[in-house]
Amino acid sequence: MAHPRLTNSLCSSPLRNLNPNPKLIPLCTCSCRPFSSQSLILHSHPLFLAKPKPLLRFARRTGPPLVLAAVGQAEPELPQTSAPTVIPEDEEDLPSKSQQQLRNRVVFGLGIGISVGGIVLAGGWVFAVALAAAVFTGAREYFELVRSHGITEGMTPPPRYVSRVCSVICALMPLFVMYRGHIDVSVTSAAFVLATALLLQRGSPRFAQLSSAIFGLFYCGYLPSFWLKLRCGLAAPALNTRIGATWPILLGGQAHWTVGLVATLITISSVIAADTFAFLGGKAFGRTPLTSISPKKTWEGTIIGFCGCIVTSAVLSKIFSWPIPLSSAIGLGVLSFFGSVFGDLTESMIKRDAGVKDSGTLIPGHGGVLDRADSYVFTGALAYNFIKTVLPLYGV
């Protein structure tokens, strides 16, 4: 009886030609049957005398996926083909985006400049309402910055209802100044209402909440209100202004050109000149960083902006024939410049702590209201106090 592990498959194989009477060849070496010498016939077949084919293995390469390489042979060198450079869609759109942003910046900048010029010329309640709207929007942006993740890591922000109340109070301050003529009582009352709202909140009030809210009241409400005092509070006519002599009577005539209107135009124009010359000078000659708060600002650009601000103030004082002493015009230009720089740096410090680039997205190409008005926050108060306190000492 044949062993179940024996096979007679060689009968149908080419070995039949070598051995016409094939015998069973044991292919197992188990202890049931000794290994027969007849199995050596298998090893004499040409198929087994041929050189064995090399084994195959997989080799991982960094370029193409997987390449079959023979053991004992060098891996074939594949031609180095330069892969096509794929430009991300964001990089492809960078030139168009920058051009679009520049276009929006120019268009909206001109629109804002013309609108502000008309509002300043109109004065009165038109100026007060426009200032109140800008103050309310700026206050909302400020409290959103305070509530941002970068600032709230180290402090507790005021509740949202307190932020809204403070924004409304800031917007009412210019209107109160327009109606009453002063601001001291409104600030005191506003601080009391704010502190009461914080103390009555649920939970445990924090000093950080009070300090951030009071600073917002001062930064977004009290300081901008000086622009109303500067424009509408200095009602004495600028008699030496030549433009006033030719101003249409339907628009107020010469009496419309007051000291407040002339001072407001000179101060705003000086701030615009300081920002413009500082930007252009920094682009052309900027090498030395001014401060870590705003890395893009340089000493070279700041010096050029200072010179441009002084020249603009002096030239406009000659055009409007106010103030008459050149030293007074230079002093007003110096205060306008420093108020512009420190206002800009203050807002940059708040945005840097908040971890954002812009305070808002209301104005395309410019950001938020605070981004455009940061240079004017301190300037109005400095210009008003300079005109009311310093100029009278020189008989102006």
Side-chain angles (χ1 to χ4, degrees):
M1 181 178 178
H3 194 280
R5 295 187 182 181
L6 297 179
T7 179
N8 218 4
S9 60
L10 289 176
C11 296
S12 60
S13 67
L15 291 175
R16 185 179 181 85
N17 299 329
L18 297 178
N19 189 5
N21 298 316
K23 298 181 179 180
L24 295 177
I25 300 174
L27 297 182
C28 71
T29 58
C30 59
S31 60
C32 64
R33 185 184 294 268
F35 187 79
S36 175
S37 60
Q38 294 179 355
S39 62
L40 295 176
I41 189 173
L42 183 64
H43 300 280
S44 63
H45 192 273
L47 295 176
F48 292 92
L49 295 177
K51 184 178 180 180
K53 294 183 179 180
L55 299 177
L56 299 179
R57 65 180 177 86
F58 289 99
R60 185 177 298 276
R61 299 175 64 91
T62 57
L66 289 176
V67 180
L68 291 176
V71 176
Q73 295 181 1
E75 296 182 1
E77 293 292 336
L78 296 179
Q80 299 293 334
T81 58
S82 58
T85 304
V86 180
I87 301 176
E89 295 181 1
D90 296 340
E91 295 184 6
E92 291 179 353
D93 296 339
L94 282 179
S96 59
K97 287 182 179 180
S98 60
Q99 293 176 0
Q100 182 67 26
Q101 186 177 8
L102 179 61
R103 189 182 301 111
N104 291 338
R105 189 178 184 88
V106 172
V107 171
F108 282 92
L110 291 175
I112 293 173
I114 295 173
S115 302
V116 170
I119 292 172
V120 170
L121 287 174
W125 283 101
V126 175
F127 185 80
V129 172
L131 182 62
V135 164
F136 177 77
T137 307
R140 293 299 301 271
E141 292 178 356
Y142 165 79
F143 283 104
E144 288 299 323
L145 291 176
V146 170
R147 300 186 65 87
S148 63
H149 180 68
I151 295 181
T152 54
E153 284 185 350
M155 59 167 286
T156 304
R160 287 194 178 275
Y161 77 91
V162 175
S163 302
R164 292 165 183 163
V165 169
C166 190
S167 300
V168 172
I169 293 175
C170 290
L172 292 176
M173 282 187 182
L175 302 178
F176 188 84
V177 172
M178 184 66 190
Y179 181 73
R180 296 295 300 269
H182 55 83
I183 196 175
D184 299 334
V185 177
S186 63
V187 172
T188 306
S189 303
F192 173 76
V193 172
L194 192 61
T196 303
L198 285 173
L199 293 175
L200 294 179
Q201 67 172 320
R202 295 179 180 178
S204 177
R206 301 288 183 180
F207 176 74
Q209 297 176 329
L210 181 62
S211 60
S212 60
I214 293 296
F215 180 77
L217 197 69
F218 172 78
Y219 182 72
C220 300
Y222 178 74
L223 290 176
S225 297
F226 277 95
W227 281 104
L228 192 65
K229 300 182 72 172
L230 180 66
R231 171 62 183 90
C232 303
L234 304 177
L239 300 176
N240 297 326
T241 303
R242 298 169 187 161
I243 299 178
T246 60
W247 194 253
I249 298 178
L250 294 177
L251 298 179
Q254 187 174 4
H256 183 76
W257 285 84
T258 61
V259 173
L261 174 58
V262 174
T264 302
L265 291 176
I266 293 177
T267 305
I268 292 178
S269 301
S270 300
V271 173
I272 295 174
D275 291 342
T276 304
F277 280 97
F279 175 77
L280 297 178
K283 285 288 184 181
F285 308 103
R287 296 294 182 273
T288 309
L290 177 65
T291 176
S292 60
I293 297 175
S294 184
K296 291 185 178 181
K297 289 182 174 56
T298 60
W299 278 104
E300 293 80 3
T302 303
I303 294 174
I304 295 175
F306 175 77
C307 297
C309 182
I310 299 299
V311 171
T312 301
S313 179
V315 170
L316 290 180
S317 68
K318 291 296 182 181
I319 294 175
F320 293 122
S321 300
W322 186 94
I324 298 299
L326 182 61
S327 59
S328 300
I330 294 175
L332 183 60
V334 170
L335 288 178
S336 300
F337 172 77
F338 281 104
S340 169
V341 171
F342 283 102
D344 193 352
L345 293 178
T346 300
E347 204 242 352
S348 296
M349 178 182 63
I350 298 174
K351 291 190 298 183
R352 188 179 183 87
D353 286 349
V356 298
K357 183 177 182 255
D358 298 322
S359 62
T361 58
L362 180 63
I363 309 174
H366 293 265
V369 172
L370 282 181
D371 293 320
R372 289 299 89 206
D374 54 359
S375 300
Y376 302 88
V377 173
F378 295 99
T379 312
L382 292 175
Y384 176 80
N385 286 284
F386 176 76
I387 295 171
K388 289 287 292 184
T389 306
V390 179
L391 289 188
L393 299 178
Y394 295 94
V396 180

